[in-house]
């Protein structure tokens, strides 16, 4: 007998690779139907619509909420793995270009994806957070790793003298993540343009940056 969640996971693997919001328009509204207050859900249609993901023949059966939380946990862990690669690339860029440009690009890459919608699910589902405590024991999964990514980059720039030696990186990193999250959270409006993201970044790091092109 096939696993109850097989059909959903097959579609889910395709959805893990949906393009960034600027191309797909995916936001919290696409995932809002996934947290329905009943024991069984059928989330595949609301996830797959408008993303060119072909559903299996026939109706994908509903499955228990615990099966759904298990899938979501896999999805979050996949995004965290991708974030690790982004973090390495960001850290390697230290000492080149403009600090604000690197930070603005990093925030845009992070929050233009389905990350904002995933974060909404993480904060609203106790069972999902419990499953993720092994990898993220403190804070909100994905946001915690994103904050660490920004802090690591700022530290690398500080080592190169482009961020002030006395800069409070532990305060700057979560401030940048929080500000970026707020910019991209309003999915009823158009996504912020590059100038708006850069303006927020330059404001946050104004007192810390030593780069001639902040």
């Amino acid at each position: 007998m096939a696993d109850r969640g097989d059909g959903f996971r097959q579609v889910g693997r395709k959805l893990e690779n949906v393009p960034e919001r600027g191309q797909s328009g995916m936001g919290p509204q696409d995932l809002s139907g996934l947290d329905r207050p009943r024991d069984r859900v059928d989330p595949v249609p609301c996830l797959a619509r408008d993303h060119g993901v072909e559903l299996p023949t026939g109706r994908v059966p509903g499955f228990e909420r615990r099966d759904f939380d298990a899938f979501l946990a896999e999805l979050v862990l996949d995004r965290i793995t991708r974030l690790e690669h982004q973090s390495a690339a960001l850290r390697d860029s230290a000492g080149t270009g403009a600090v604000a440009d690197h930070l603005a690009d990093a925030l845009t890459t992070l929050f233009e994806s389905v990350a904002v919608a995933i974060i909404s699910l993480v904060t609203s589902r106790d069972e999902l957070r419990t499953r993720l405590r092994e990898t993220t024991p403190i804070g909100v999964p994905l946001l915690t790793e994103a904050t660490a990514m920004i802090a690591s980059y700022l530290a690398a720039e500080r080592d190169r003298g482009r961020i002030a030696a006395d800069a409070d990186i532990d305060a700057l990193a979560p401030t940048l993540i929080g500000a970026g999250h707020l910019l991209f959270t309003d999915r009823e409006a158009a996504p912020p343009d590059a100038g708006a993201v850069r303006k927020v970044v330059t404001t946050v790091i104004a007192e810390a940056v030593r780069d001639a092109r902040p």
Side-chain angles (χ1 to χ4, degrees):
M1 181 175 179
D3 182 0
R4 182 187 299 276
D6 278 348
F8 175 64
R9 283 192 288 271
Q10 289 170 10
V11 176
R13 282 191 289 272
K14 299 177 184 178
L15 288 167
E16 287 175 352
N17 295 311
V18 294
E20 302 304 315
R21 182 189 187 281
Q23 298 174 357
S24 70
M26 189 176 191
Q29 67 275 14
D30 296 279
L31 297 178
S32 60
L34 302 184
D35 197 19
R36 299 171 185 168
R38 56 177 181 259
D39 292 334
R40 296 171 68 83
V41 296
D42 187 10
V44 177
C46 70
L47 264 176
R49 68 172 185 256
D50 300 328
H51 298 294
V53 176
E54 183 179 354
L55 295 176
T57 302
R59 182 180 180 278
V60 177
F63 51 91
E64 303 296 335
R65 292 177 67 89
R66 63 178 177 270
D67 297 327
F68 180 38
D69 284 317
F71 167 75
L72 286 179
E74 292 176 7
L75 182 59
V76 174
L77 292 174
D78 173 78
R79 292 287 162 173
I80 289 174
T81 298
R82 297 186 190 194
L83 196 61
E84 291 171 355
H85 297 307
Q86 182 187 352
S87 179
L90 179 61
R91 191 166 52 249
D92 289 343
S93 73
T96 68
V99 172
D101 286 343
H102 291 315
L103 289 169
D105 288 347
L107 293 177
T108 299
T109 299
L110 172 65
F111 290 120
E112 270 195 343
S113 71
V114 294
V116 170
I118 291 174
I119 291 166
S120 296
L121 285 169
V122 169
T123 57
S124 66
R125 299 181 71 89
D126 294 338
E127 174 63 24
L128 177 57
R129 288 197 305 277
T130 298
R131 288 175 179 271
L132 293 168
R133 283 307 173 208
E134 183 175 340
T135 55
T136 310
I138 299 174
V140 178
L142 201 58
L143 283 181
T144 296
E145 287 78 12
T147 301
M149 172 183 73
I150 297 299
S152 176
Y153 168 70
L154 291 173
E157 292 288 20
R158 183 176 59 188
D159 292 343
R160 289 163 175 77
R162 303 206 316 161
I163 291 291
D166 60 350
D168 189 349
I169 289 176
D170 290 339
L172 286 174
T175 301
L176 286 164
I177 290 296
H181 190 209
L182 286 174
L183 275 179
F184 286 92
T185 295
D186 184 3
R187 294 309 176 111
E188 297 301 319
D193 59 28
V197 179
R198 196 177 192 281
K199 180 178 179 180
V200 167
V201 170
T202 55
T203 299
V204 173
I205 67 173
E207 297 298 319
V209 73
R210 294 294 178 264
D211 182 9
R213 299 172 299 165

